[in-house]
Amino acid sequence: FSGPTALSGLLPEAVKGLPMTTPNDHDIHVLNSLIETTIDSADGYREAAKETDKPNYRSLFEARSFERQQVAADLQGTVRNLG
């Protein structure tokens, strides 16, 4: 063999150029989608806290935003651990 591309001539054209996948790719994709949704939720609660003139709602929305930020951080840590 003359390097990592020595076997490329044996692969069907449909397979050439496809990215390598790992067993965790699907899980990482799902988690990244959840992270995006969770961050959007945190942003929404933060905006709601800014917009309300009721202190009790402001506190509630700020707390929910913080909770969502923590969940997103936890999910990001899981993605890092998966590779």
Side-chain angles (χ1 to χ4, degrees), residues 12-68:
E13 285 300 315
V15 175
K16 290 180 183 177
L18 290 178
M20 296 293 289
T21 60
T22 67
N24 294 330
D25 283 352
H26 175 73
D27 294 342
I28 290 169
H29 176 75
V30 170
L31 287 169
N32 280 331
S33 178
L34 287 171
I35 290 165
E36 184 177 342
T37 301
T38 304
I39 290 171
D40 288 346
S41 175
D43 292 345
Y45 278 118
R46 187 172 41 254
E47 283 299 311
K50 285 188 217 174
E51 296 296 323
T52 188
D53 58 354
K54 306 239 187 253
N56 56 333
Y57 287 141
R58 184 174 296 113
S59 294
L60 174 68
F61 295 150
E62 288 171 347
R64 294 288 165 96
S65 177
F66 179 77
E67 290 169 359
R68 298 307 190 276

